[in-house]
């Protein structure tokens, strides 16, 4: 009984076989079939390698939503060098809520030399080159996101030698926590003095001839400080053409949540528009000499997520490549054989055209002459 059940099971499985086997004695091989098979296998190998490279690659997915967080503080990371001595300049933030953040709460004033060393000039040149490429090819931003925390630091390298030249500039660096509303970070002459109606700067003791707001922005970012991320103003250098000159940067900050396979952080992207003009009250150009960065917070939040192709999708695409190439090459090979057979048959028919044979009654016969034994030999 067991043997009968096994035989029935085997016969049932044979009937369900969707891949019947053809005996090798019934299979006819040809040179054209071998050539097509070689081309098919080569194509399959090439496309398999390319598909595996696509599987290994990742891409960034962007999602947008309304930013509902209004109570948290916004961090501003600053590293700016101004071509004036530290005792002559002051930096602070004034937002729309008339809340002033004093510069002593997180900024450091460091006397430095404004001119860069050769190594620092090379760093700045490379950073400016990257900035120009980012403006032309926006897809490079995805590469920067994926390489965050892995790439080298984008900070200005320190001087390799101690110069005997006395410091002629002031490096203002550090971070500030401000309200998440529009505000104005500015660097101008004199230290800031708060009072009930706003704030003012002690600029009376500084002569106009010593004004020089030539500056270099080594780093400016909002939110969590992430090494490897290049911001739009990093590496910017402006040289003042006049003592009384105003530099303005209008910045739109977009809250950004970054989720990659390396990091998960909350940062901010921003776009910037620049403007500069000489202060001349006689010509109608009013204002205060200095560097003004007016920022505004976008109501939208961007979530950037690094995604990867699932393994099951990779297998499906791989099976589609293999099956599709086999089917396509088989159809093309069959069609090519059919066309070749039709052409060769026409040539054969042309070589054996019927000849006219005269008959005794004056008529002609177009039939092929019968083959005889002698003709067979």
């Amino acid at each position: 009984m067991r043997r009968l059940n096994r035989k029935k099971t085997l016969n049932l499985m044979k009937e369900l076989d969707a891949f019947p086997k053809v005996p090798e004695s019934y299979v006819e091989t040809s040179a054209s079939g071998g050539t097509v098979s070689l081309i098919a296998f080569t194509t399959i190998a090439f496309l398999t390698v390319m598909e595996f490279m696509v599987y290994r690659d990742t891409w960034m997915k962007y999602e947008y939503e309304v930013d509902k967080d209004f109570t948290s503080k916004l961090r501003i990371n600053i590293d700016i060098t101004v071509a004036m001595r530290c005792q002559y300049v002051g930096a602070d933030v004034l937002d729309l809520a008339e809340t002033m953040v004093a510069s002593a709460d997180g900024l450091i004033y460091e006397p430095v030399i404004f001119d860069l060393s050769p190594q620092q000039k090379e760093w700045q040149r490379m950073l400016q080159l990257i900035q120009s490429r980012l403006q032309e090819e926006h897809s490079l931003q995805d590469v920067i996101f994926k390489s965050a925390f892995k790439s080298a630091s984008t900070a200005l390298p320190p001087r390799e030698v101690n110069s005997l030249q006395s410091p002629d500039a002031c490096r203002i660096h550090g971070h500030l926590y401000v309200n998440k509303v529009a505000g104005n970070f500015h660097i101008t002459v004199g230290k800031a003095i708060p009072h009930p109606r706003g704030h003012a700067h002690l600029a009376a003791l500084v002569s106009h001839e010593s004004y020089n707001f030539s500056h270099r922005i080594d780093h400016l970012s909002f939110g969590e400080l992430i090494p490897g991320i290049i911001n739009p103003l990093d590496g910017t250098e402006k040289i003042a053409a006049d003592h009384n000159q105003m530099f303005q940067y209008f910045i739109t900050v977009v809250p950004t949540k970054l989720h990659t396979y390396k990091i998960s952080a909350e940062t901010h992207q921003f776009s910037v528009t620049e403007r500069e003009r000489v202060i001349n009250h006689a010509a109608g150009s009013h204002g205060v000499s200095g560097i003004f960065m007016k920022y505004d917070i976008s109501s939208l939040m961007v979530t950037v997520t690094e995604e990867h192709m699932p393994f099951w999708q990779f297998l499906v695409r791989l099976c589609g490549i293999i099956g599709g190439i086999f089917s396509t090459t088989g159809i093309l090979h069959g069609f090519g054989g059919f066309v070749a057979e039709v052409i060769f048959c026409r040539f054969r028919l042309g070589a054996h055209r019927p000849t006219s044979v005269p008959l005794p009654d004056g008529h002609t016969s177009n039939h092929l002459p019968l083959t005889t034994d002698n003709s067979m030999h």
Side-chain angles (χ1 to χ4, degrees), residues 36 53 57 76 88 101 108 122 129 194-195 257 269 277 294 328 332 362 373-374:
V36 173
M53 294 177 63
D57 194 15
I76 306 179
Y88 296 156
V101 180
I108 301 173
E122 181 64 20
L129 179 61
H195 59 82
K257 292 183 178 180
Q269 303 179 83
R277 60 188 176 91
K294 299 181 179 181
T328 304
L332 293 177
D373 293 339
N374 294 331

Side-chain angles (χ1 to χ4, degrees), residues 24-239:
E24 293 185 359
S25 58
Y26 296 155
V27 177
E28 181 180 357
T29 59
S30 62
S32 61
T35 303
V36 173
S37 299
L38 182 61
I39 295 174
F41 290 140
T42 304
T43 307
I44 289 175
F46 175 74
L47 292 181
T48 300
V49 173
M50 297 297 294
E51 190 66 25
F52 181 72
M53 294 177 63
V54 173
Y55 169 72
R56 290 185 57 189
D57 194 15
T58 59
W59 62 89
M60 307 305 291
K61 179 181 178 182
Y62 292 81
E63 296 178 335
Y64 302 89
E65 59 180 312
V66 177
D67 185 15
K68 300 178 182 178
D69 183 12
F70 302 105
T71 60
S72 62
K73 294 288 185 176
L74 176 64
R75 172 171 170 160
I76 306 179
N77 307 296
I78 301 165
D79 191 350
I80 301 176
T81 302
V82 185
M84 292 180 66
R85 297 186 182 276
C86 291
Q87 61 266 28
Y88 296 156
V89 294
D92 61 325
V93 177
L94 187 66
D95 59 25
L96 291 181
E98 297 296 331
T99 302
M100 192 188 77
V101 180
S103 60
D105 291 343
L107 296 182
I108 301 173
Y109 292 77
E110 179 184 350
V112 294
I113 301 173
F114 187 77
D115 292 334
L116 298 176
S117 64
Q119 181 184 4
Q120 292 173 332
K121 288 181 180 179
E122 181 64 20
W123 169 88
Q124 187 186 36
R125 187 187 67 83
M126 291 298 299
L127 191 56
Q128 290 175 350
L129 179 61
I130 295 174
Q131 292 284 18
S132 62
R133 293 295 300 273
L134 284 173
Q135 293 178 1
E136 297 174 358
E137 303 177 18
H138 300 284
S139 59
L140 291 177
Q141 186 64 45
D142 293 348
V143 180
I144 293 177
F145 280 150
K146 290 190 287 186
S147 63
F149 278 164
K150 294 192 301 182
S151 59
S153 175
T154 57
L156 179 70
R159 289 184 178 270
E160 60 276 8
V161 293
N162 293 326
S163 176
L164 299 177
Q165 183 181 356
S166 60
D168 58 351
C170 184
R171 179 191 175 197
I172 305 173
H173 61 97
H175 62 272
L176 296 171
Y177 288 95
V178 299
N179 296 322
K180 207 170 181 180
V181 295
N184 180 8
F185 170 77
H186 52 270
I187 302 173
T188 186
V189 178
K191 302 300 181 181
I193 301 176
H195 59 82
R197 294 187 179 181
H199 77 293
H201 289 261
L202 286 176
L205 302 178
V206 184
S207 63
H208 288 277
E209 287 74 15
S210 61
Y211 286 11
N212 185 2
F213 284 101
S214 299
H215 61 280
R216 182 177 61 252
I217 304 176
D218 297 326
H219 180 80
L220 179 69
S221 64
F222 297 83
E224 184 178 347
L225 187 60
I226 303 177
I229 298 296
I230 300 177
N231 298 277
L233 286 177
D234 292 354
T236 301
E237 182 175 287
K238 298 291 184 180
I239 304 299

